Amino acid sequence: MAHWTVPDSVAFVLFARRALAAAWVALVLWLVVAFQLFYNVRDAPRTRTDAVIMLGGASNERLPVAQGLREALEIPVLVVSHTDTPGNASADALCHHGAALPDGVVCLRLNEKDTRGEAQAIGSLVAAKGWTNITVVTSRYHVARAGMLINQCTTAHVELFGSTPEFNLKQWVDRFVVETGGLLDVTLRPECR
């Protein structure tokens, strides 16, 4: 009885097709998960909390949402991350309002101007003020990572709201990649605990 074997070149082609199909399936699954985590984000129920905290960056998009929540829910304090960075210009202008800030506005000055630094600063502020519930506003793509970090740094109940950036498809995919890496980093290197 003759024993038939697959030539090496055919075996390689079959292996390459299977590997390519597996990579394609993995990419599609990642896109579905990333879409749910970073785009199709559901906001927390609107409830009155001790403070609304706007995370730094994209302030033209985030600050109006934070101010709107504060006004609609009659939240006494608005905390604004002060970063002195171009993406945070409108929030930084509020903090440079002169010696007197508007009533109930607190500018959060950061040692580290990133989400980890904000989480640490928020944890310290919440502890100092004795707050038990806070509302945090950031961009919708950033809600998952910011929520993980802030929850690692405070025992307060954290409600997250995501503002919606005006991104094209490429910008959204770029954010999906960055935020996926960020979530892995936060999972492997927790902050404050």
Side-chain angles (χ1 to χ4, degrees):
M1 180 188 270
H3 186 9
W4 185 75
T5 60
V6 177
D8 288 343
S9 60
V10 173
F12 177 76
V13 169
L14 291 173
F15 172 78
R17 283 185 182 170
R18 287 185 185 128
L20 188 59
W24 185 250
V25 168
L27 176 65
V28 169
L29 286 174
W30 170 76
L31 280 171
V32 168
V33 171
F35 180 83
Q36 292 302 319
L37 283 173
F38 310 127
Y39 183 82
N40 195 26
V41 176
R42 299 200 194 300
D43 289 331
R46 292 176 171 232
T47 58
R48 190 170 192 268
T49 59
D50 297 314
V52 175
I53 301 170
M54 186 213 83
L55 298 186
S59 64
N60 285 340
E61 157 204 329
R62 297 174 186 176
L63 186 57
V65 173
Q67 291 170 322
L69 284 169
R70 179 184 185 208
E71 184 177 313
L73 300 172
E74 298 178 353
I75 296 173
V77 179
L78 171 63
V79 179
V80 178
S81 280
H82 178 62
T83 65
D84 281 325
T85 59
N88 206 51
S90 61
D92 291 340
L94 181 65
C95 290
H96 287 300
H97 198 267
L101 288 169
D103 274 348
V105 175
V106 174
C107 290
L108 189 62
R109 301 201 186 274
L110 306 169
N111 293 330
E112 296 177 45
K113 295 178 182 179
D114 60 12
T115 310
R116 285 181 177 276
E118 284 178 313
Q120 291 171 354
I122 290 167
S124 297
L125 181 63
V126 166
K129 298 287 187 181
W131 293 335
T132 57
N133 295 291
I134 58 172
T135 299
V136 175
V137 175
T138 189
S139 300
R140 69 172 26 185
Y141 59 80
H142 191 232
V143 165
R145 181 165 57 103
M148 283 180 71
L149 280 167
I150 293 166
N151 278 306
Q152 291 169 357
C153 292
T154 184
T155 57
H157 174 73
V158 180
E159 296 182 1
L160 288 137
F161 283 83
S163 60
T164 304
E166 294 181 19
F167 283 171
N168 61 35
L169 181 61
K170 182 192 179 312
Q171 290 170 311
W172 275 111
V173 172
D174 289 347
R175 291 315 314 174
F176 288 1
V177 171
V178 168
E179 293 301 320
T180 298
L183 277 179
L184 289 172
D185 179 54
V186 170
T187 303
L188 297 173
R189 293 185 321 117
E191 193 68 30
C192 301
R193 296 190 189 210

